Amino acid sequence: AHEAAQHLGRLFQDLLDVTKAEDGRLSNNPKVIDVVQFTSNIIDALKPKADQKGLRLFFKPLIADSGMKTIDPIYYVDVDADHLREVLSNLLENAIKYTPVGEVVINITGDDDNVVISIADSGIGIPAEDIPHLFQKFYRVDNSDTREIGGTGLGLYLVRRLVEAIGGRVWVESEYKKGSTFSVELPRISHEEATRIIEAGVNEGGRPNFTS
């Protein structure tokens, strides 16, 4: 009964979020985000779930020996922090949920125009025939590996809608029984542009337009 109530709660919340996405009621409050630090905070929050399963979380932008963040490059984006947090939390939770043993590797790369956040797992993978439909509403991979895990079939659809709302794109590469890699690409802004936006927010007397 407890699990059923939790499932209904998740379904209700997902339906609310999807409804907002579809009728244009999603808020959009962009802030300058240091993507490495922002992602690191999300990983820290979800680490207990990985620890419960004995999974290793490996965040590539951290120096393995010292645990310190690399200084260069720093990737900035100007997007809604709540939307990005929901996207990355959803993808990371899925990676943990669908990985019985092994590890989840999170990486951040980019060029002058874009930042790419990738989440790769050593989990159950996705059959090739399911991949084209994965981001559709209510679509769930249905096989012996997924039936006991559960889900609403709305998480990845909502991820796609949120990523599109903040000007990005999301895709997946996967091999059945070997793991999956979900990638989110966002428009990158320069350090100079990030500084200008932050200073403009401060000068207008509002809260600093920055989230880490």
Side-chain angles (χ1 to χ4, degrees), residues 120-196:
D121 63 63
S122 58
I124 61 177
I126 303 163
E129 63 269 21
D130 289 303
I131 290 177
H133 311 286
L134 205 59
F135 295 98
Q136 296 174 2
K137 186 161 58 172
F138 291 117
Y139 190 86
R140 293 197 70 237
V141 176
D142 184 20
N143 56 40
S144 59
D145 295 309
T146 62
R147 287 186 192 121
E148 294 184 0
I149 296 177
T152 64
L154 290 170
L156 290 178
Y157 171 75
L158 184 59
V159 162
R160 178 174 66 82
R161 293 301 298 259
L162 288 173
V163 170
E164 290 172 350
I166 58 179
R169 66 186 185 104
V170 59
W171 68 94
V172 61
E173 299 169 75
S174 184
E175 189 172 350
Y176 187 45
K177 299 288 188 180
K178 292 189 176 180
S180 304
T181 300
F182 284 82
S183 299
V184 176
E185 182 183 74
L186 301 170
R188 182 181 183 182
I189 62 173
S190 67
H191 182 273
E192 292 75 18
E193 179 69 3
T195 301
R196 186 193 65 77

Side-chain angles (χ1 to χ4, degrees), residues 5-170:
Q6 286 185 317
H7 176 76
L8 284 174
R10 289 192 298 269
L11 179 60
F12 181 68
Q13 186 58 56
D14 285 349
L15 283 170
L16 283 176
D17 292 339
V18 164
T19 300
K20 289 179 181 179
E22 291 181 336
D23 64 14
R25 287 189 294 120
L26 279 176
S27 61
N28 187 27
N29 301 301
K31 294 182 182 298
V32 173
I33 295 173
D34 175 344
V35 179
V36 172
Q37 185 60 56
F38 187 85
T39 305
S40 179
N41 293 340
I42 293 171
I43 294 169
D44 288 344
L46 291 174
K47 189 176 184 299
K49 289 190 176 184
D51 291 342
Q52 287 176 359
K53 296 184 67 173
L55 300 177
R56 298 181 301 276
L57 288 185
F58 182 53
F59 189 34
K60 280 192 172 182
L62 297 187
I63 299 171
D65 292 336
S66 65
M68 296 178 63
K69 188 177 72 173
T70 54
I71 296 175
D72 187 36
I74 296 177
Y75 296 108
Y76 288 113
V77 296
D78 184 27
V79 301
D80 188 292
D82 290 336
H83 294 346
L84 182 57
R85 184 177 293 106
E86 185 162 0
V87 166
L88 297 184
S89 295
N90 189 305
L91 293 178
L92 186 52
E93 284 190 87
N94 276 355
I96 294 169
K97 183 165 64 172
Y98 290 102
T99 303
V101 295
E103 64 183 15
V104 177
V105 179
I106 304 96
N107 196 17
I108 297 175
T109 57
D111 55 26
D112 290 341
D113 300 317
N114 298 292
V115 181
V116 177
I117 308 160
S118 63
I119 299 173
D121 63 63
S122 58
I124 61 177
I126 303 163
E129 63 269 21
D130 289 303
I131 290 177
H133 311 286
L134 205 59
F135 295 98
Q136 296 174 2
K137 186 161 58 172
F138 291 117
Y139 190 86
R140 293 197 70 237
V141 176
D142 184 20
N143 56 40
S144 59
D145 295 309
T146 62
R147 287 186 192 121
E148 294 184 0
I149 296 177
T152 64
L154 290 170
L156 290 178
Y157 171 75
L158 184 59
V159 162
R160 178 174 66 82
R161 293 301 298 259
L162 288 173
V163 170
E164 290 172 350
I166 58 179
R169 66 186 185 104
V170 59

